[in-house]
C-alpha cells in the first residue's frame, strides 16, 4: 500500500476538523464580494482605460494654450479630427476585445483553459498599455522637437548652441523619454507580476506536463 | 437571481459542502484562510450556478469550480501562512520512526501533501476523491497519459519527502 492509499483511508472520514455550515450560514456568504484575480484584473483594466482616456483628453479640454498649440501643429483640421477618431477608435477596439475576453473566462472550464483565458485578457491590457506608452513616447519626442524648433524662447536660447551641444540636448531629450517610459513599464510589470505570479507558475507547470 | 434558484443552490451546497471543505483543507493551513477560500469558492459556485444545466452531477461540477478557484482565481489572503510554518509533527523524522502510530503517520502524510505545489495537490485531491484518470485529465486540461505520468511522479515525490 503506498502513501496515498493510507491517506485515502482517512480522507473520507476526516470531516470533523471544520465546522459544518447550515443553510442559514450559507445564505450570507452569497452576498459577499469576490476577491478573485479576475475581478482585480477587471478593475485594473477599467482604471487603465480611464487613466489613458483622461491623460489624452483633459489637457485638450482644460487648457486653451494646449489646444491652440495642437491646432497650430495640426493646421489642417482634418488631420486633427482624423487622429482623434483613430485614438478613440483604438480605445473602443480595446474595450471590445477586453469585453469579449472577460466573457470567455469561465470558472467551469478546465484549469488550463481557464488560466489561458486569464492570460489572454492580461495580454490585451498589456497591449493597450504598450500602445499608450509608444504613443506617449512618440508624443514626447515630437513635442520636444517641436518646442526646440518653434518655441521662440527656446529657439533664441539654442541659437548659440554648437552642433555638439545640440546633439547633447537631443540625447538628453531621448534619454528622459526612455526613462519615463521605463518607469511606467516597470510599474506595470510589478503590478501584474505580483497579481499573476501564482497563476503563471501553475500554468507553466501544466504546460511542462504536455511537453 | 430569484429566490427559488438561491434556495436550491444553498440546499445543494449544504449537502455537498464537504467537497469545498476538502479543497480548502488541502490548499490552506489555518482556520481563517480556510474560511476565506470557502467563501470565495461559494461565490464562484453561486455566480456559475445559473449556467449549471445538470448534465453532470452537482458534485462533479463542484470539484471543477472548487479546484479552479483554489488554483487560479483565489488571491491568497494575508492571513494565509506559509506551508513551512505548518504546525505538525517534526517533519524530518528518521525513517525508522516512520512506522509509528497511525495518527502520527497521517499527520506526516498530510504535511507532506502540503509541501506539494498547487497542480500536484489538485492531482492528489482528485485521486483521493476516487476520480479516474479521464476525469482528472478533463478537470486539469491535460492528457490522460500525462495525468498518469504526473501522478506517479507525485507518488515518488511523496515517498522522497517521507523518506529523505
Amino acid at each position: 500500500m503506498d502513501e496515498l492509499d493510507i491517506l485515502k483511508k482517512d480522507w473520507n472520514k476526516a470531516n470533523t476538523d471544520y465546522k459544518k455550515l447550515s443553510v442559514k450560514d450559507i445564505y450570507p456568504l452569497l452576498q459577499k464580494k469576490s476577491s478573485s484575480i479576475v475581478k482585480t484584473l477587471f478593475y485594473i483594466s477599467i482604471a487603465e482605460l480611464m487613466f489613458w482616456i483622461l491623460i489624452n483628453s483633459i489637457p485638450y479640454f482644460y487648457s486653451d494654450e494646449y489646444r491652440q498649440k495642437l491646432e497650430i501643429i495640426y493646421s489642417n483640421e482634418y488631420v486633427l479630427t482624423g487622429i482623434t477618431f483613430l485614438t478613440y477608435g483604438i480605445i473602443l477596439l480595446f474595450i471590445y476585445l477586453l469585453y469579449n475576453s472577460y466573457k470567455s473566462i469561465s470558472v467551469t472550464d478546465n484549469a488550463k483553459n481557464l488560466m489561458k483565458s486569464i492570460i489572454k485578457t492580461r495580454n490585451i491590457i498589456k497591449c493597450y498599455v504598450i500602445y499608450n506608452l509608444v504613443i506617449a513616447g512618440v508624443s514626447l519626442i515630437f513635442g520636444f522637437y517641436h518646442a526646440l524648433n518653434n518655441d521662440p524662447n527656446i529657439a533664441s536660447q539654442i541659437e548659440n548652441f554648437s552642433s555638439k551641444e545640440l546633439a547633447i540636448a537631443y540625447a538628453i531629450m531621448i534619454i528622459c523619454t526612455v526613462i519615463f517610459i521605463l518607469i511606467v513599464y516597470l510599474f506595470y510589470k510589478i503590478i501584474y507580476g505580483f497579481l499573476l505570479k501564482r497563476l503563471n507558475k501553475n500554468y507553466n507547470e501544466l504546460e511542462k506536463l504536455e511537453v | 437571481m430569484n429566490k427559488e434558484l438561491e434556495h436550491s443552490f444553498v440546499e445543494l451546497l449544504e449537502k455537498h459542502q464537504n467537497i469545498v471543505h476538502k479543497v480548502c483543507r488541502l490548499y490552506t493551513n489555518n482556520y481563517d484562510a480556510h474560511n476565506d477560500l470557502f467563501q470565495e469558492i461559494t461565490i464562484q459556485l453561486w455566480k456559475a450556478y445559473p449556467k449549471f444545466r445538470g448534465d453532470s452531477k452537482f458534485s462533479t461540477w463542484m470539484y471543477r469550480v472548487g479546484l479552479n478557484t483554489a488554483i487560479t482565481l483565489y488571491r491568497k489572503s494575508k492571513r494565509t501562512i506559509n506551508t513551512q510554518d505548518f504546525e505538525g509533527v517534526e517533519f524530518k523524522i528518521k525513517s525508522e520512526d516512520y512506522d509509528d502510530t497511525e495518527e502520527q503517520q497521517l499527520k506526516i502524510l498530510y504535511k507532506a501533501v502540503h509541501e506539494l505545489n498547487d497542480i500536484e495537490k489538485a492531482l492528489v485531491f482528485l485521486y483521493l476523491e476516487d476520480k479516474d484518470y479521464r476525469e482528472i485529465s478533463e478537470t486539469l486540461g491535460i492528457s490522460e497519459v500525462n495525468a498518469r505520468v504526473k501522478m506517479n511522479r507525485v507518488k515518488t515525490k511523496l515517498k522522497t519527502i517521507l523518506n529523505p
Side-chain angles (χ1 to χ4, degrees):
Chain A
M1 189 185 272
D2 68 27
E3 284 75 9
L4 281 181
D5 291 317
I6 299 170
L7 205 58
K8 204 183 228 178
K9 269 175 61 189
D10 179 70
W11 182 249
N12 289 313
K13 61 179 182 189
N15 295 337
T16 48
D17 55 348
Y18 45 76
K19 185 189 158 203
K20 195 171 183 323
L21 300 180
S22 67
V23 167
K24 257 189 181 170
D25 298 323
I26 294 173
Y27 272 109
L29 294 181
L30 307 189
Q31 313 308 324
K32 297 266 171 75
K33 290 218 171 354
S34 161
S35 60
S36 78
I37 58 167
V38 175
K39 197 150 195 193
T40 311
L41 210 58
F42 177 75
Y43 287 138
I44 291 178
S45 57
I46 297 288
E48 298 283 10
L49 285 167
M50 297 306 291
F51 174 75
W52 290 105
I53 289 172
L54 289 177
I55 288 283
N56 288 326
S57 314
I58 285 180
Y60 186 79
F61 289 111
Y62 284 90
S63 162
D64 288 341
E65 201 187 340
Y66 178 78
R67 190 162 53 227
Q68 277 164 9
K69 274 187 181 169
L70 271 186
E71 276 158 8
I72 292 166
I73 296 169
Y74 304 108
S75 48
N76 181 343
E77 75 172 282
Y78 292 113
V79 175
L80 187 58
T81 316
I83 288 175
T84 311
F85 266 109
L86 188 69
T87 311
Y88 286 101
I90 289 172
I91 291 172
L92 285 176
L93 176 72
F94 274 112
I95 292 174
Y96 171 76
L97 290 173
L98 272 175
Y99 175 76
N100 271 350
S101 192
Y102 276 113
K103 276 195 75 163
S104 72
I105 297 175
S106 167
V107 73
T108 53
D109 222 332
N110 69 49
K112 198 174 169 189
N113 281 344
L114 173 65
M115 290 178 200
K116 224 188 251 177
S117 32
I118 294 173
I119 291 170
K120 190 181 146 205
T121 309
R122 176 245 186 278
N123 283 342
I124 294 172
I125 306 173
K126 192 174 158 188
C127 284
Y128 180 69
V129 169
I130 290 172
Y131 158 76
N132 278 297
L133 283 177
V134 168
I135 295 291
V138 170
S139 309
L140 272 176
I141 291 177
F142 186 74
F144 278 136
Y145 181 79
H146 189 265
L148 283 178
N149 287 296
N150 296 305
D151 193 308
N153 296 330
I154 301 174
S156 66
Q157 280 179 20
I158 63 163
E159 221 169 46
N160 307 321
F161 276 20
S162 65
S163 57
K164 194 183 167 191
E165 284 170 329
L166 204 60
I168 293 173
Y170 279 122
I172 291 173
M173 176 179 93
I174 292 169
I175 290 169
C176 287
T177 308
V178 170
I179 289 175
F180 165 76
I181 289 173
L182 270 181
I183 290 172
V184 179
Y185 181 72
L186 279 176
F187 175 70
Y188 285 118
K189 272 291 231 194
I190 291 168
I191 289 182
Y192 290 119
F194 187 68
L195 184 67
L196 298 177
K197 189 180 162 197
R198 191 161 151 252
L199 185 144
N200 283 328
K201 195 177 143 204
N202 287 341
Y203 184 74
N204 289 337
E205 177 78 19
L206 284 175
E207 278 281 279
K208 218 166 62 189
L209 285 177
E210 299 294 271
V211 176
Chain B
M1 307 237 183
N2 63 48
K3 290 276 161 204
E4 209 177 301
L5 194 71
E6 195 176 67
H7 186 67
S8 68
F9 172 78
V10 171
E11 289 217 317
L12 280 168
L13 181 59
E14 196 260 345
K15 191 174 157 199
H16 297 283
Q17 63 178 285
N18 275 356
I19 296 172
V20 184
H21 279 301
K22 284 180 196 170
V23 173
C24 298
R25 185 183 188 193
L26 214 55
Y27 283 92
T28 65
N29 41 34
N30 70 68
Y31 181 77
D32 288 334
H34 182 113
N35 288 345
D36 273 355
L37 181 56
F38 190 97
Q39 187 183 302
E40 188 60 44
I41 294 175
T42 303
I43 294 168
Q44 295 301 333
L45 284 166
W46 174 228
K47 271 166 62 184
Y49 187 61
K51 286 185 184 164
F52 171 66
R53 286 191 292 269
D55 317 340
S56 57
K57 277 200 300 184
F58 185 75
S59 55
T60 310
W61 179 77
M62 278 179 90
Y63 285 116
R64 190 172 274 216
V65 177
L67 278 178
N68 273 341
T69 308
I71 298 171
T72 308
L73 302 180
Y74 178 58
R75 283 195 299 132
K76 282 186 178 174
S77 74
K78 284 173 188 164
R79 291 182 287 184
T80 309
I81 55 166
N82 192 295
T83 43
Q84 301 298 324
D85 303 329
F86 186 81
E87 258 185 50
V89 288
E90 181 60 32
F91 178 55
K92 285 189 175 170
I93 54 158
K94 289 174 194 163
S95 52
E96 57 262 33
D97 295 337
Y98 181 59
D99 289 322
D100 214 345
T101 64
E102 194 185 340
E103 199 183 332
Q104 193 185 12
Q105 197 178 22
L106 280 169
K107 271 186 180 177
I108 298 165
L109 274 167
Y110 277 116
K111 184 161 168 31
V113 171
H114 269 264
E115 300 273 324
L116 299 173
N117 68 38
D118 289 344
I119 303 297
E120 290 167 340
K121 277 181 193 165
L123 277 154
V124 168
F125 173 79
L126 293 166
Y127 181 86
L128 293 176
E129 288 294 313
D130 252 339
K131 300 294 163 197
D132 59 25
Y133 283 105
R134 188 184 53 80
E135 200 170 322
I136 294 176
S137 72
E138 281 172 3
T139 307
L140 296 179
I142 55 176
S143 72
E144 218 173 303
V145 176
N146 287 330
R148 271 177 207 278
V149 172
K150 185 66 184 172
M151 194 68 226
N152 285 333
R153 282 192 206 145
V154 171
K155 284 180 182 174
T156 313
K157 190 171 173 180
L158 279 176
K159 267 195 177 72
T160 317
I161 296 175
L162 293 164
N163 305 297

